Structures are given as structure tokens and as C-alpha cells.
Amino acid sequence: MKKLGILLSGRGSNFEAIARNVQAGKLPAEIAVVISNKPEAGGLALAKEMGLATRIIPSKGKEREAFDREVDLVCLAGFMRILSPYFIWEFPRRILNIHPALLPSFPGEDAQRKALQHGVKYTGCTVHFVDEGMDTGPIVCQAVIPVQEDDTAETLAARILKEEHRIYSEAICLVLEDKLRFEGRRVLRKD
């Protein structure tokens, strides 16, 4: 059975979706550990309630490489810290992240607000492999959400989050079952 480590810094809604899919047998994996750099993270409390192993590795005041050397292989789920090149080089094409926009548009924070400010008609979410840039890694899958005229950043974020929960588990499954191949930056499903 493949093992997952989950890094999170906040409420942990993507972690919860992954954990529920693991429990339901929809992901061929087990969650080995949930790690947070913030002891007050809601996702950490949820992991404890679910009986999962948790660990707090404070990052404040530490250089990124020193912090990353303390962490094993993980899937990022709302982890709000840029990983060092050292960490990324140790786990090439084995680190996934989810972002609430259709990358390469609107990388970084406040993606929903940026989408509304730019007047896009569609946005969504993206699961991608992590590289050394901010939200620049090869794209595994995306979900498209229409932007409604009365949307606020909050209403848009809520609709996007539902799709995040769906496609992140799908992407994890594709990676764990070795169903992806690479052509340059393109990530394709194996035949």
C-alpha cells in the first residue's frame, strides 16, 4: 500500500477530502502522517480526531532547506510555504499541489479575487506537480467553473473548493497507480 504524507497550514479541507477518499477505498493509499508548520491549524486537529499520526514542524525562523530536511514525501494540501529547491530535487515529480485557479493564470494567493478583477468568464482549479516556481509545475488535471455575475471571492471560492476536493484525489490516484507519462512539460495519461 502506498503511503501519503500531507502538509497543511490551515483548515485542511483538501486534506479532509483526501482522507475521506482513502477511508472509502477510492485512493489506493494510506495516510502515514499529517504535518503542519502551524500548531493551531484546523486540519491538524481534524487529523488527530481521525486517529492519524500528526506532527508539528515549526517553520518560523527556519530557512526553507533546514525545514524541508525534516519532512518526508508529501502531497501539499493548503501548505502555505514555498518549498526549497533541496526538497523539490529530492522528490522529482513526486510532489503534488492544488491551486484554486486555472493555471498558469492567477498563481499565488488571492486567485479568486484576481479572477473577478480580471473579469474572466471561467476559472477553476488545477492539480500540478511542484517545481521551483510558484504554481508553475506541470499540470496533472484541471476543473473549470463558470464565473457568475453576482460572484464574490467567497462564493467563487466555495464552488471551486468542491471541485478541488474531487480532482485532487483523482490526481493522487493517477500518480499512485503510475498512470501518467511526461512529454516535456505536458503530463499525459498512459494508454
Side-chain angles (χ1 to χ4, degrees):
M1 177 77 59
K2 303 267 183 162
K3 294 186 179 188
L4 296 178
I6 308 290
L7 284 179
L8 54 82
S9 294
R11 67 181 188 226
S13 67
N14 276 307
F15 151 70
E16 183 177 10
I18 292 166
R20 299 286 181 222
N21 282 318
V22 166
Q23 289 175 337
K26 294 179 181 177
L27 283 173
E30 65 180 273
I31 297 174
V33 65
V34 177
I35 302 169
S36 179
N37 62 327
K38 296 184 178 184
E40 70 279 6
L44 199 59
L46 178 59
K48 288 177 185 175
E49 288 174 22
M50 297 175 89
L52 297 170
T54 61
R55 184 163 177 212
I56 300 166
I57 304 175
S59 60
K60 191 170 185 166
K62 290 183 183 177
E63 291 186 22
R64 285 186 300 163
E65 285 187 19
F67 175 76
D68 293 349
R69 284 187 182 109
E70 299 180 41
V71 179
D72 292 322
L73 177 65
V74 297
C75 295
L76 305 181
F79 186 67
M80 301 304 287
R81 185 167 168 94
I82 296 173
L83 298 172
S84 72
Y86 168 84
F87 187 86
I88 294 165
W89 297 332
E90 289 296 311
F91 307 101
R93 294 183 179 169
R94 292 171 48 202
I95 306 170
L96 285 178
N97 191 28
I98 183 109
H99 183 72
L102 295 175
L103 293 174
S105 296
F106 314 123
E109 295 183 20
D110 298 321
Q112 297 89 355
R113 183 183 52 76
K114 291 174 188 173
L116 292 172
Q117 286 176 340
H118 280 82
V120 298
K121 304 303 179 200
Y122 295 91
T123 189
C125 51
T126 303
V127 178
H128 63 94
F129 284 101
V130 176
D131 65 10
E132 293 177 38
M134 182 181 294
D135 299 322
T136 58
I139 294 170
V140 177
C141 59
Q142 295 180 306
V144 177
I145 307 293
V147 177
Q148 298 172 358
E149 289 186 19
D150 61 345
D151 263 329
T152 64
E154 293 77 23
T155 61
L156 187 56
R159 288 201 328 281
I160 291 171
L161 190 61
K162 289 179 185 176
E163 291 301 306
E164 286 183 38
H165 294 168
R166 181 181 64 79
I167 71 168
Y168 205 7
S169 290
E170 287 178 16
I172 291 168
C173 196
L174 289 169
V175 172
L176 293 177
E177 294 178 348
D178 193 30
K179 292 186 176 180
L180 300 175
R181 63 185 173 85
F182 292 82
E183 287 184 8
R185 286 190 45 82
R186 294 181 68 206
V187 180
L188 305 168
R189 290 188 186 204
K190 290 181 179 176
D191 296 333

PDB file of all heavy atoms in Angstrom, residues 49-75:
ATOM      1  N   GLU A  49      -8.441  13.900  15.289  1.00  0.00           N
ATOM      2  CA  GLU A  49      -9.772  13.322  15.503  1.00  0.00           C
ATOM      3  C   GLU A  49      -9.964  12.051  14.682  1.00  0.00           C
ATOM      4  O   GLU A  49     -10.659  11.132  15.109  1.00  0.00           O
ATOM      5  CB  GLU A  49     -10.860  14.330  15.117  1.00  0.00           C
ATOM      6  CG  GLU A  49     -11.022  15.491  16.060  1.00  0.00           C
ATOM      7  CD  GLU A  49     -12.020  16.517  15.547  1.00  0.00           C
ATOM      8  OE1 GLU A  49     -12.883  16.162  14.695  1.00  0.00           O
ATOM      9  OE2 GLU A  49     -11.939  17.677  15.974  1.00  0.00           O
ATOM     10  N   MET A  50      -9.345  12.002  13.509  1.00  0.00           N
ATOM     11  CA  MET A  50      -9.466  10.844  12.625  1.00  0.00           C
ATOM     12  C   MET A  50      -8.495   9.729  13.021  1.00  0.00           C
ATOM     13  O   MET A  50      -8.450   8.696  12.363  1.00  0.00           O
ATOM     14  CB  MET A  50      -9.230  11.267  11.170  1.00  0.00           C
ATOM     15  CG  MET A  50     -10.259  12.250  10.661  1.00  0.00           C
ATOM     16  SD  MET A  50      -9.882  12.845   8.999  1.00  0.00           S
ATOM     17  CE  MET A  50     -10.722  11.590   8.042  1.00  0.00           C
ATOM     18  N   GLY A  51      -7.722   9.964  14.051  1.00  0.00           N
ATOM     19  CA  GLY A  51      -6.800   8.939  14.525  1.00  0.00           C
ATOM     20  C   GLY A  51      -5.526   8.814  13.705  1.00  0.00           C
ATOM     21  O   GLY A  51      -4.844   7.789  13.767  1.00  0.00           O
ATOM     22  N   LEU A  52      -5.195   9.847  12.951  1.00  0.00           N
ATOM     23  CA  LEU A  52      -3.997   9.807  12.108  1.00  0.00           C
ATOM     24  C   LEU A  52      -2.794  10.366  12.858  1.00  0.00           C
ATOM     25  O   LEU A  52      -2.930  11.223  13.736  1.00  0.00           O
ATOM     26  CB  LEU A  52      -4.239  10.612  10.831  1.00  0.00           C
ATOM     27  CG  LEU A  52      -5.354  10.083   9.929  1.00  0.00           C
ATOM     28  CD1 LEU A  52      -5.659  11.079   8.831  1.00  0.00           C
ATOM     29  CD2 LEU A  52      -4.968   8.734   9.343  1.00  0.00           C
ATOM     30  N   ALA A  53      -1.644   9.898  12.479  1.00  0.00           N
ATOM     31  CA  ALA A  53      -0.408  10.411  13.064  1.00  0.00           C
ATOM     32  C   ALA A  53      -0.216  11.853  12.604  1.00  0.00           C
ATOM     33  O   ALA A  53      -0.418  12.173  11.429  1.00  0.00           O
ATOM     34  CB  ALA A  53       0.775   9.560  12.615  1.00  0.00           C
ATOM     35  N   THR A  54       0.138  12.700  13.527  1.00  0.00           N
ATOM     36  CA  THR A  54       0.362  14.115  13.215  1.00  0.00           C
ATOM     37  C   THR A  54       1.719  14.547  13.742  1.00  0.00           C
ATOM     38  O   THR A  54       2.265  13.951  14.665  1.00  0.00           O
ATOM     39  CB  THR A  54      -0.722  15.017  13.831  1.00  0.00           C
ATOM     40  OG1 THR A  54      -0.693  14.888  15.245  1.00  0.00           O
ATOM     41  CG2 THR A  54      -2.107  14.664  13.300  1.00  0.00           C
ATOM     42  N   ARG A  55       2.213  15.588  13.121  1.00  0.00           N
ATOM     43  CA  ARG A  55       3.482  16.151  13.576  1.00  0.00           C
ATOM     44  C   ARG A  55       3.475  17.645  13.281  1.00  0.00           C
ATOM     45  O   ARG A  55       3.010  18.078  12.224  1.00  0.00           O
ATOM     46  CB  ARG A  55       4.644  15.482  12.856  1.00  0.00           C
ATOM     47  CG  ARG A  55       5.990  15.959  13.361  1.00  0.00           C
ATOM     48  CD  ARG A  55       7.098  15.039  12.956  1.00  0.00           C
ATOM     49  NE  ARG A  55       8.354  15.611  13.430  1.00  0.00           N
ATOM     50  CZ  ARG A  55       9.496  15.477  12.813  1.00  0.00           C
ATOM     51  NH1 ARG A  55       9.571  14.772  11.716  1.00  0.00           N
ATOM     52  NH2 ARG A  55      10.581  16.027  13.291  1.00  0.00           N
ATOM     53  N   ILE A  56       3.989  18.397  14.216  1.00  0.00           N
ATOM     54  CA  ILE A  56       4.159  19.834  14.017  1.00  0.00           C
ATOM     55  C   ILE A  56       5.650  20.076  13.823  1.00  0.00           C
ATOM     56  O   ILE A  56       6.456  19.670  14.654  1.00  0.00           O
ATOM     57  CB  ILE A  56       3.642  20.634  15.226  1.00  0.00           C
ATOM     58  CG1 ILE A  56       2.156  20.371  15.450  1.00  0.00           C
ATOM     59  CG2 ILE A  56       3.911  22.128  15.036  1.00  0.00           C
ATOM     60  CD1 ILE A  56       1.651  20.851  16.796  1.00  0.00           C
ATOM     61  N   ILE A  57       5.971  20.718  12.730  1.00  0.00           N
ATOM     62  CA  ILE A  57       7.353  21.105  12.468  1.00  0.00           C
ATOM     63  C   ILE A  57       7.338  22.613  12.250  1.00  0.00           C
ATOM     64  O   ILE A  57       7.065  23.084  11.148  1.00  0.00           O
ATOM     65  CB  ILE A  57       7.936  20.375  11.240  1.00  0.00           C
ATOM     66  CG1 ILE A  57       7.816  18.862  11.409  1.00  0.00           C
ATOM     67  CG2 ILE A  57       9.394  20.782  11.031  1.00  0.00           C
ATOM     68  CD1 ILE A  57       8.260  18.071  10.209  1.00  0.00           C
ATOM     69  N   PRO A  58       7.562  23.380  13.311  1.00  0.00           N
ATOM     70  CA  PRO A  58       7.510  24.834  13.184  1.00  0.00           C
ATOM     71  C   PRO A  58       8.502  25.333  12.129  1.00  0.00           C
ATOM     72  O   PRO A  58       9.634  24.867  12.055  1.00  0.00           O
ATOM     73  CB  PRO A  58       7.899  25.337  14.576  1.00  0.00           C
ATOM     74  CG  PRO A  58       7.671  24.181  15.486  1.00  0.00           C
ATOM     75  CD  PRO A  58       7.920  22.955  14.658  1.00  0.00           C
ATOM     76  N   SER A  59       8.048  26.255  11.320  1.00  0.00           N
ATOM     77  CA  SER A  59       8.909  26.798  10.259  1.00  0.00           C
ATOM     78  C   SER A  59       9.368  28.216  10.559  1.00  0.00           C
ATOM     79  O   SER A  59      10.322  28.695   9.950  1.00  0.00           O
ATOM     80  CB  SER A  59       8.167  26.786   8.916  1.00  0.00           C
ATOM     81  OG  SER A  59       6.995  27.577   8.992  1.00  0.00           O
ATOM     82  N   LYS A  60       8.704  28.868  11.478  1.00  0.00           N
ATOM     83  CA  LYS A  60       9.055  30.261  11.772  1.00  0.00           C
ATOM     84  C   LYS A  60      10.502  30.354  12.236  1.00  0.00           C
ATOM     85  O   LYS A  60      10.938  29.643  13.140  1.00  0.00           O
ATOM     86  CB  LYS A  60       8.120  30.830  12.838  1.00  0.00           C
ATOM     87  CG  LYS A  60       8.260  32.322  12.996  1.00  0.00           C
ATOM     88  CD  LYS A  60       7.167  32.893  13.865  1.00  0.00           C
ATOM     89  CE  LYS A  60       7.290  34.398  13.873  1.00  0.00           C
ATOM     90  NZ  LYS A  60       6.129  35.043  14.388  1.00  0.00           N
ATOM     91  N   GLY A  61      11.247  31.223  11.576  1.00  0.00           N
ATOM     92  CA  GLY A  61      12.634  31.445  11.933  1.00  0.00           C
ATOM     93  C   GLY A  61      13.607  30.445  11.345  1.00  0.00           C
ATOM     94  O   GLY A  61      14.804  30.536  11.589  1.00  0.00           O
ATOM     95  N   LYS A  62      13.100  29.465  10.567  1.00  0.00           N
ATOM     96  CA  LYS A  62      13.990  28.487   9.949  1.00  0.00           C
ATOM     97  C   LYS A  62      14.133  28.787   8.464  1.00  0.00           C
ATOM     98  O   LYS A  62      13.164  29.172   7.806  1.00  0.00           O
ATOM     99  CB  LYS A  62      13.423  27.068  10.076  1.00  0.00           C
ATOM    100  CG  LYS A  62      13.440  26.518  11.463  1.00  0.00           C
ATOM    101  CD  LYS A  62      12.937  25.084  11.448  1.00  0.00           C
ATOM    102  CE  LYS A  62      12.873  24.526  12.843  1.00  0.00           C
ATOM    103  NZ  LYS A  62      12.316  23.168  12.860  1.00  0.00           N
ATOM    104  N   GLU A  63      15.296  28.549   7.935  1.00  0.00           N
ATOM    105  CA  GLU A  63      15.469  28.639   6.487  1.00  0.00           C
ATOM    106  C   GLU A  63      14.710  27.484   5.848  1.00  0.00           C
ATOM    107  O   GLU A  63      14.549  26.417   6.449  1.00  0.00           O
ATOM    108  CB  GLU A  63      16.950  28.569   6.136  1.00  0.00           C
ATOM    109  CG  GLU A  63      17.714  29.802   6.566  1.00  0.00           C
ATOM    110  CD  GLU A  63      19.154  29.775   6.081  1.00  0.00           C
ATOM    111  OE1 GLU A  63      19.452  29.056   5.104  1.00  0.00           O
ATOM    112  OE2 GLU A  63      19.971  30.470   6.686  1.00  0.00           O
ATOM    113  N   ARG A  64      14.279  27.684   4.608  1.00  0.00           N
ATOM    114  CA  ARG A  64      13.467  26.669   3.941  1.00  0.00           C
ATOM    115  C   ARG A  64      14.159  25.313   3.868  1.00  0.00           C
ATOM    116  O   ARG A  64      13.551  24.284   4.114  1.00  0.00           O
ATOM    117  CB  ARG A  64      13.070  27.127   2.540  1.00  0.00           C
ATOM    118  CG  ARG A  64      11.986  28.174   2.571  1.00  0.00           C
ATOM    119  CD  ARG A  64      11.494  28.524   1.208  1.00  0.00           C
ATOM    120  NE  ARG A  64      12.581  29.040   0.398  1.00  0.00           N
ATOM    121  CZ  ARG A  64      12.557  29.142  -0.921  1.00  0.00           C
ATOM    122  NH1 ARG A  64      11.506  28.752  -1.585  1.00  0.00           N
ATOM    123  NH2 ARG A  64      13.560  29.632  -1.585  1.00  0.00           N
ATOM    124  N   GLU A  65      15.434  25.273   3.493  1.00  0.00           N
ATOM    125  CA  GLU A  65      16.113  23.986   3.363  1.00  0.00           C
ATOM    126  C   GLU A  65      16.220  23.261   4.692  1.00  0.00           C
ATOM    127  O   GLU A  65      16.050  22.050   4.750  1.00  0.00           O
ATOM    128  CB  GLU A  65      17.491  24.169   2.725  1.00  0.00           C
ATOM    129  CG  GLU A  65      17.386  24.433   1.245  1.00  0.00           C
ATOM    130  CD  GLU A  65      18.734  24.448   0.543  1.00  0.00           C
ATOM    131  OE1 GLU A  65      19.713  23.919   1.095  1.00  0.00           O
ATOM    132  OE2 GLU A  65      18.788  24.970  -0.581  1.00  0.00           O
ATOM    133  N   ALA A  66      16.490  23.969   5.767  1.00  0.00           N
ATOM    134  CA  ALA A  66      16.566  23.344   7.088  1.00  0.00           C
ATOM    135  C   ALA A  66      15.210  22.758   7.462  1.00  0.00           C
ATOM    136  O   ALA A  66      15.117  21.649   7.993  1.00  0.00           O
ATOM    137  CB  ALA A  66      17.018  24.352   8.130  1.00  0.00           C
ATOM    138  N   PHE A  67      14.149  23.472   7.159  1.00  0.00           N
ATOM    139  CA  PHE A  67      12.796  22.984   7.431  1.00  0.00           C
ATOM    140  C   PHE A  67      12.485  21.749   6.591  1.00  0.00           C
ATOM    141  O   PHE A  67      12.016  20.737   7.094  1.00  0.00           O
ATOM    142  CB  PHE A  67      11.782  24.094   7.145  1.00  0.00           C
ATOM    143  CG  PHE A  67      10.353  23.653   7.276  1.00  0.00           C
ATOM    144  CD1 PHE A  67       9.778  23.471   8.518  1.00  0.00           C
ATOM    145  CD2 PHE A  67       9.584  23.433   6.144  1.00  0.00           C
ATOM    146  CE1 PHE A  67       8.455  23.071   8.643  1.00  0.00           C
ATOM    147  CE2 PHE A  67       8.267  23.042   6.260  1.00  0.00           C
ATOM    148  CZ  PHE A  67       7.702  22.853   7.515  1.00  0.00           C
ATOM    149  N   ASP A  68      12.768  21.816   5.296  1.00  0.00           N
ATOM    150  CA  ASP A  68      12.410  20.727   4.388  1.00  0.00           C
ATOM    151  C   ASP A  68      13.141  19.425   4.691  1.00  0.00           C
ATOM    152  O   ASP A  68      12.617  18.338   4.439  1.00  0.00           O
ATOM    153  CB  ASP A  68      12.677  21.136   2.940  1.00  0.00           C
ATOM    154  CG  ASP A  68      11.745  22.242   2.480  1.00  0.00           C
ATOM    155  OD1 ASP A  68      10.772  22.537   3.194  1.00  0.00           O
ATOM    156  OD2 ASP A  68      12.004  22.810   1.408  1.00  0.00           O
ATOM    157  N   ARG A  69      14.333  19.502   5.229  1.00  0.00           N
ATOM    158  CA  ARG A  69      15.086  18.288   5.558  1.00  0.00           C
ATOM    159  C   ARG A  69      14.407  17.482   6.664  1.00  0.00           C
ATOM    160  O   ARG A  69      14.716  16.322   6.860  1.00  0.00           O
ATOM    161  CB  ARG A  69      16.508  18.646   5.967  1.00  0.00           C
ATOM    162  CG  ARG A  69      17.382  19.009   4.788  1.00  0.00           C
ATOM    163  CD  ARG A  69      18.838  19.198   5.199  1.00  0.00           C
ATOM    164  NE  ARG A  69      19.619  19.598   4.052  1.00  0.00           N
ATOM    165  CZ  ARG A  69      20.121  20.806   3.867  1.00  0.00           C
ATOM    166  NH1 ARG A  69      19.930  21.753   4.761  1.00  0.00           N
ATOM    167  NH2 ARG A  69      20.814  21.085   2.787  1.00  0.00           N
ATOM    168  N   GLU A  70      13.452  18.096   7.375  1.00  0.00           N
ATOM    169  CA  GLU A  70      12.743  17.414   8.450  1.00  0.00           C
ATOM    170  C   GLU A  70      11.482  16.693   7.951  1.00  0.00           C
ATOM    171  O   GLU A  70      10.799  16.053   8.741  1.00  0.00           O
ATOM    172  CB  GLU A  70      12.335  18.429   9.520  1.00  0.00           C
ATOM    173  CG  GLU A  70      13.493  19.140  10.171  1.00  0.00           C
ATOM    174  CD  GLU A  70      13.033  20.128  11.228  1.00  0.00           C
ATOM    175  OE1 GLU A  70      12.110  19.784  11.985  1.00  0.00           O
ATOM    176  OE2 GLU A  70      13.602  21.224  11.281  1.00  0.00           O
ATOM    177  N   VAL A  71      11.165  16.801   6.672  1.00  0.00           N
ATOM    178  CA  VAL A  71       9.894  16.325   6.134  1.00  0.00           C
ATOM    179  C   VAL A  71      10.123  15.201   5.118  1.00  0.00           C
ATOM    180  O   VAL A  71      11.001  15.292   4.280  1.00  0.00           O
ATOM    181  CB  VAL A  71       9.146  17.491   5.448  1.00  0.00           C
ATOM    182  CG1 VAL A  71       7.825  17.026   4.859  1.00  0.00           C
ATOM    183  CG2 VAL A  71       8.924  18.618   6.434  1.00  0.00           C
ATOM    184  N   ASP A  72       9.299  14.141   5.209  1.00  0.00           N
ATOM    185  CA  ASP A  72       9.326  13.070   4.222  1.00  0.00           C
ATOM    186  C   ASP A  72       8.414  13.415   3.049  1.00  0.00           C
ATOM    187  O   ASP A  72       7.816  14.469   3.024  1.00  0.00           O
ATOM    188  CB  ASP A  72       8.866  11.755   4.854  1.00  0.00           C
ATOM    189  CG  ASP A  72       9.858  11.251   5.885  1.00  0.00           C
ATOM    190  OD1 ASP A  72      11.076  11.384   5.664  1.00  0.00           O
ATOM    191  OD2 ASP A  72       9.408  10.741   6.921  1.00  0.00           O
ATOM    192  N   LEU A  73       8.299  12.503   2.095  1.00  0.00           N
ATOM    193  CA  LEU A  73       7.476  12.690   0.900  1.00  0.00           C
ATOM    194  C   LEU A  73       6.038  13.029   1.273  1.00  0.00           C
ATOM    195  O   LEU A  73       5.442  12.365   2.120  1.00  0.00           O
ATOM    196  CB  LEU A  73       7.503  11.428   0.042  1.00  0.00           C
ATOM    197  CG  LEU A  73       6.641  11.437  -1.209  1.00  0.00           C
ATOM    198  CD1 LEU A  73       7.143  12.482  -2.184  1.00  0.00           C
ATOM    199  CD2 LEU A  73       6.635  10.060  -1.842  1.00  0.00           C
ATOM    200  N   VAL A  74       5.460  14.050   0.609  1.00  0.00           N
ATOM    201  CA  VAL A  74       4.117  14.514   0.959  1.00  0.00           C
ATOM    202  C   VAL A  74       3.350  14.991  -0.266  1.00  0.00           C
ATOM    203  O   VAL A  74       3.927  15.244  -1.317  1.00  0.00           O
ATOM    204  CB  VAL A  74       4.172  15.677   1.971  1.00  0.00           C
ATOM    205  CG1 VAL A  74       4.785  15.239   3.279  1.00  0.00           C
ATOM    206  CG2 VAL A  74       4.896  16.868   1.403  1.00  0.00           C
ATOM    207  N   CYS A  75       2.021  15.116  -0.076  1.00  0.00           N
ATOM    208  CA  CYS A  75       1.156  15.840  -1.002  1.00  0.00           C
ATOM    209  C   CYS A  75       0.819  17.142  -0.293  1.00  0.00           C
ATOM    210  O   CYS A  75       0.497  17.135   0.889  1.00  0.00           O
ATOM    211  CB  CYS A  75      -0.134  15.077  -1.275  1.00  0.00           C
ATOM    212  SG  CYS A  75       0.090  13.524  -2.112  1.00  0.00           S
TER     213      CYS A  75
END
